Each structure stands twice: as C-alpha cells, then as structure tokens.
Amino acid sequence: MQKIISVVYMSLKRFGVSLEDDLLESLDNYVINNGFANRSQAIRFLIEKNVAEQKWQCNHIVAGTIIVMYDQLKKDLHARITDIQQNYTDVILSSSQYYLNSNFCLHIVTVKGTAFRLTELSDKLTTIKGIKHGKLVMSRAD
C-alpha cells in the first residue's frame, strides 16, 4: 500500500521596500536579535503579528495572559494592580505573583473574555507608573 503525501506550497511574491537608513538598521537589529534567517522572514512575522493583533480588536472570545513585572518596593503598585483587577472580575480566571528576588515581582493574570475587554484591562495594568514590563498574549477561544 502506497502512502500519498500532499504538500501545499504557497507562492511567494517579491516586491521592493524603501526604508530610511535608521529604520533599515532597526530592522537588521531586529533580525539579528530575534534569530530570523533574513529580513523577509522578519517582515513576514511582523505582518502576521499585526494581522493577529487587529483581529484581537474585535469582539471574539479570547483567552490569554497578562504579564507585568514591577519593583515590589515601589509604593502602592500592588494595591493599584488589585484595584484595577477588581473592575475586571468577569474576565479574570486567576491572578498569581512570583517573587523573583528581593525587589522584583512577576504578576501573571489569566484571562478569558472579549478581545476588546482583555486589551482594555491589559492597557490599564501595563501603563501603571512603575511597571517595568507588561505584555498581553491571547488567542481566540471561541
């Protein structure tokens, strides 16, 4: 019995892109820092990422995590995070804190709801003054 394997090839199209020197340098640094094989691969990744993020702006049901890192010695940061989260209990599945060292805390919020609502929560958490890093990662869940 022979096994038939079908492979689908998507055709690639070539086009030219004009960039200022500093933007091209930024792209090249992005390629190197993220381990892409070439500029084309990095540009494809960025376009696909942008398309996915645009889909998040709709009202699809999505699930994901919001990650924030902050200096726990900064006054009232934990209280501000808690206050914001109180207004989003309808989409928060869990919230955890991990103390990385004597100063830094990694706060992870697991969420499920409309993309718009999760983006709104993420924006509020990640823009608190004193947050060192914040990121929302989500995927469609409906």
Side-chain angles (χ1 to χ4, degrees), residues 29-113:
N29 288 334
Y30 185 78
V31 168
I32 292 166
N33 293 336
N34 291 281
F36 290 108
N38 52 47
R39 291 174 180 161
S40 293
Q41 190 180 48
I43 291 170
R44 273 193 301 276
F45 172 81
L46 291 169
I47 292 169
E48 288 169 357
K49 180 179 178 223
N50 183 272
V51 168
E53 287 175 356
Q54 285 179 349
K55 288 179 183 176
W56 295 349
Q57 300 306 316
C58 61
N59 269 341
H60 293 297
I61 300 298
V62 295
T65 57
I66 301 167
I67 301 167
V68 292
M69 186 176 296
Y70 62 92
D71 184 342
Q72 65 184 1
L73 299 178
K74 294 278 185 176
K75 195 173 186 174
D76 298 327
L77 270 177
H78 180 70
R80 288 193 296 203
I81 290 170
T82 302
D83 288 345
I84 290 169
Q85 288 182 165
Q86 289 298 319
N87 296 318
Y88 291 88
T89 56
D90 58 312
V91 295
I92 295 176
L93 301 174
S94 70
S95 180
S96 304
Q97 294 188 107
Y98 300 94
Y99 300 97
L100 304 176
N101 57 37
S102 61
N103 290 356
F104 286 100
C105 181
L106 177 64
H107 187 86
I108 301 173
V109 184
T110 307
V111 290
K112 181 180 177 189

Side-chain angles (χ1 to χ4, degrees), residues 21-33:
D21 288 339
D22 59 336
L23 193 55
L24 181 59
E25 183 179 337
S26 293
L27 176 61
D28 287 339
N29 288 334
Y30 185 78
V31 168
I32 292 166
N33 293 336

